[in-house]
Amino acid sequence: MSKLPDFEGLAMFAKVAEEGSFAAAAAAIGVSVATVSRAVTRLEERLGGRLFNRTSRRLSLTDYGHSLAERAGKMFAAAEETEDFARETSSRPRGLIKLAAPLSFGSRWVAPLLPEFFRLYPDISVDLHLGDAHADLIGDGFDAALRIAIMEDSSLVARLIAPVRRFVVASPAYLSRYGYPQHPHDLGVHQCLSYMSRSKHDVWRFTNRKSGEECAITPSGMLRGTSLEALVPAVLAGIAITELPEFAAAQFLREKQLEAILTDWRLPEGGLYFVTPSNRARAAKIRVLADFFISRLTEAAWRAD
């Protein structure tokens, strides 16, 4: 007896169990009924137990067959997935990608890159979902996400594209009128705008670059928003302070419309990640999308300095 498992016999047994008859299984697989019957009989002889009760009118699983059917079905499905993966890998990337990205970053940096991606891969289409709340990749059926975060251990597979610094910023007009905070605690007397999407209470956590002193403050101001777009106009108008990721702050800092404050202190540095569910095979379409974004976004077009 071969030491290798009877993969063919197990696959045909799984198909018969699923279809409920030898004829239906044979039609689904594309072989003769005799071929399926011989494979199942061979498997029964190898395993030493009867898998089906056969009569002229009815076919049913034995208790022994019931105990093996689910395992054999999973093996059959895994083999099909492996073949599909290999076939897609060897062919031109194609198909639909359901992609999630942060609202501000996606609008400013992801959407403008997509025309080039579609020229390179005309057989791929993208459903782009933009929002600042983290999408449930597995629960909502996403293929991938661009995520700006401090990644924690999870069931997701994350590839770092680039680090993302954060800045506390205000306009020159605001600073001229209200002065420069010297310590994070000083922010308590200022209008500080914050995000509602992070948690019930946004918290800014600072670490002094020289002394290592740590300080956490809860910003308080006349406006809280679920996106950067909701906060930036008030800051540019000179009536408040806010905290921005580098990709959002860079242009305003370069053009002197905003100024970084409390620069002796740093905020936790996150990163831009390409994230996929770990329980899915990395299809060719997902790999080329990841490689594309990594090649275009790693070079920091949004750097503040």
Side-chain angles (χ1 to χ4, degrees):
M1 180 187 296
S2 171
K3 292 183 179 180
L4 285 174
D6 185 356
F7 293 109
E8 181 184 64
L10 286 165
M12 292 191 180
F13 160 63
K15 204 63 180 174
V16 174
E18 177 185 347
E19 298 289 342
S21 77
F22 282 78
I29 298 173
V31 298
S32 68
V33 175
T35 298
V36 175
S37 180
R38 284 195 300 269
V40 172
T41 299
R42 184 180 68 242
L43 182 64
E44 288 177 324
E45 292 173 352
R46 179 187 178 98
L47 299 178
R50 212 156 34 89
L51 299 169
F52 294 101
N53 291 314
R54 302 171 178 87
T55 69
S56 59
R57 295 185 178 181
R58 190 165 179 264
L59 179 73
S60 62
L61 286 163
T62 64
D63 289 341
Y64 181 57
H66 269 296
S67 69
L68 296 180
E70 184 178 357
R71 289 175 179 267
K74 289 180 178 179
M75 184 212 71
F76 186 87
E80 285 187 315
E81 183 181 3
T82 299
E83 282 199 351
D84 289 343
F85 174 73
R87 193 175 296 113
E88 187 170 9
T89 299
S90 64
S91 64
R92 189 172 184 174
R94 65 183 68 244
L96 172 67
I97 299 173
K98 189 176 178 183
L99 175 70
L103 176 59
S104 299
F105 186 82
S107 300
R108 175 66 180 86
W109 298 101
V110 177
L113 289 174
L114 290 178
E116 180 187 1
F117 179 77
F118 294 139
R119 285 193 293 271
L120 294 172
Y121 302 103
D123 295 326
I124 296 178
S125 57
V126 174
D127 281 355
L128 180 60
H129 296 251
L130 300 181
D132 285 335
H134 280 182
D136 180 354
L137 267 65
I138 297 174
D140 293 334
F142 283 95
D143 297 296
L146 288 165
R147 187 165 287 179
I148 296 173
I150 299 172
M151 292 298 297
E152 299 176 353
D153 291 339
S154 72
S155 61
L156 303 176
V157 176
R159 293 178 64 182
L160 177 64
I161 297 177
V164 178
R165 295 180 294 174
R166 307 193 73 88
F167 298 87
V168 177
V169 296
S171 72
Y174 181 94
L175 295 171
S176 176
R177 183 175 182 180
Y178 298 106
Y180 287 76
Q182 300 299 310
H183 190 281
H185 289 312
D186 296 341
L187 294 173
V189 297
H190 290 267
Q191 291 285 341
C192 295
L193 311 187
S194 60
Y195 300 99
M196 286 190 291
S197 59
R198 291 181 181 171
S199 61
K200 186 175 181 180
H201 296 292
D202 193 10
V203 177
W204 297 354
R205 303 184 186 281
F206 295 86
T207 302
N208 189 278
R209 297 180 185 277
K210 294 181 179 179
S211 69
E213 178 190 352
E214 295 183 350
C215 178
I217 67 106
T218 300
S220 177
M222 78 286 283
L223 176 65
R224 297 176 68 209
T226 58
S227 71
L228 300 179
E229 283 78 5
L231 306 181
V232 168
V235 180
L236 290 173
I239 61 175
I241 291 170
T242 196
E243 179 250 14
L244 294 177
E246 187 170 13
F247 71 82
Q251 179 181 350
F252 299 121
L253 294 173
R254 286 196 297 265
E255 294 175 357
K256 310 299 183 183
Q257 292 179 274
L258 295 178
E259 185 175 338
I261 60 176
L262 294 171
T263 54
D264 289 339
W265 300 77
R266 60 178 176 80
L267 293 159
E269 183 176 285
L272 171 64
Y273 293 87
F274 188 88
V275 182
T276 55
S278 60
N279 63 343
R280 296 184 188 172
R282 292 292 297 274
K285 62 185 179 182
I286 306 301
R287 292 199 307 277
V288 297
L289 183 67
D291 292 342
F292 175 81
F293 281 134
I294 288 171
S295 66
R296 299 305 188 277
L297 297 174
T298 298
E299 293 301 323
W302 63 77
R303 287 295 184 235
D305 47 29

